[in-house]
């Protein structure tokens, strides 16, 4: 069996995973309920409970300070940056400095770095791919915004690797779109 390589769009609001099947046709992998996207939301319950996606959104209605949204805006960013400061005013959870220059999210008595939160979303997408294809190892190309610098890219890579993904490449979203168009145009 040939190795499958998956494409992951880790979005601010929603994330998704796709695979290129035989013949070059790309297919978004649906969840058990047929959903093509997963909300990029992680709910932290008591103990080690973590819920990702739609379930996290639902739990967040009752406990909004435990449902982390927009983690992509925090990953690889300094606590004192304008992006983080502006974002802090829009969310019900606490964002704190990590003791160095980056930020963490405070839930109860514990701080979570953004890449750990992002890894929960990556793990959810990995399980979706395993369930749909039976692939033991999930190799992936992950897209990031064009403005992401080296630090943000490294943090995304670390989050994906922590979720047991074999990251082949991190691509800027415009580059991924250009490659996809070019490939499609050549195939006719």
């Amino acid at each position: 069996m040939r190795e499958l390589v998956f494409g992951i769009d880790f979005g601010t609001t929603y994330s998704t995973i796709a695979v290129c099947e035989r013949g070059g046709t790309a297919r978004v992998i649906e969840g058990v309920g047929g959903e093509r996207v997963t909300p990029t939301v992680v709910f932290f319950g008591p103990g080690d409970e973590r819920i990702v996606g739609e379930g996290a959104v639902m739990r967040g209605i009752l406990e909004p300070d435990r449902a982390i949204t927009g983690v992509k805006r925090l990953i690889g960013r300094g606590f004192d940056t304008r992006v983080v400061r502006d974002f802090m005013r829009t969310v019900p959870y606490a964002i704190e400095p990590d003791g160095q220059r980056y930020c963490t999210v405070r839930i109860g008595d514990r701080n979570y770095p953004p890449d750990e939160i992002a890894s929960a979303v990556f793990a959810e997408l990995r399980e979706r791919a395993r369930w749909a294809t039976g692939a033991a190892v999930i190799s992936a190309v992950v897209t990031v915004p064009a403005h992401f610098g080296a630090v943000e890219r490294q943090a995304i890579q670390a989050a994906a690797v922590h979720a047991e993904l074999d990251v082949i490449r991190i691509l800027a979203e415009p580059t991924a779109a250009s490659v996809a168009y070019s490939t499609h145009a050549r195939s006719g």
Side-chain angles (χ1 to χ4, degrees):
M1 181 173 150
R2 72 180 179 95
E3 177 186 13
L4 296 173
V5 176
F6 296 83
I8 296 177
D9 176 22
F10 180 74
T12 304
T13 308
Y14 291 97
S15 296
T16 194
I17 187 166
V19 64
C20 191
E21 297 183 321
R22 292 180 195 260
T25 303
R27 172 177 67 99
V28 172
I29 298 175
E30 296 178 350
V32 177
E35 63 281 359
R36 296 171 53 88
V37 295
T38 297
T40 309
V41 181
V42 181
F43 179 85
F44 290 86
D48 291 333
E49 178 189 22
R50 290 182 189 187
I51 302 169
V52 177
E54 196 60 46
V57 171
M58 301 311 279
R59 289 286 298 270
I61 292 169
L62 299 175
E63 297 177 83
D65 59 329
R66 293 183 161 275
I68 310 308
T69 60
V71 71
K72 185 173 170 182
R73 298 183 194 279
L74 302 175
I75 199 160
R77 299 202 188 246
F79 180 75
D80 290 328
T81 62
R82 182 174 181 178
V83 170
V84 171
R85 293 292 185 177
D86 289 347
F87 186 61
M88 287 171 61
R89 290 191 278 272
T90 67
V91 295
Y93 51 85
I95 300 171
E96 300 178 348
D98 70 353
Q100 295 175 15
R101 65 171 275 227
Y102 297 104
C103 57
T104 62
V105 175
R106 182 105 173 140
I107 305 289
D109 61 351
R110 179 154 180 235
N111 283 41
Y112 297 90
D115 59 324
E116 183 178 340
I117 298 165
S119 75
V121 176
F122 281 119
E124 179 73 18
L125 295 173
R126 178 201 69 217
E127 288 308 306
R128 179 183 287 191
R130 283 184 177 162
W131 173 79
T133 65
V137 175
I138 305 298
S139 298
V141 173
V142 180
T143 61
V144 296
H147 66 82
F148 266 28
V151 174
E152 291 97 338
R153 287 169 176 258
Q154 288 170 349
I156 289 287
Q157 172 121 9
V161 168
H162 184 72
E164 300 176 10
L165 291 169
D166 175 22
V167 179
I168 295 171
R169 179 167 279 163
I170 303 283
L171 280 180
E173 291 161 351
T175 302
S178 177
V179 168
Y181 177 79
S182 175
T183 302
H184 179 73
R186 276 185 292 196
S187 66

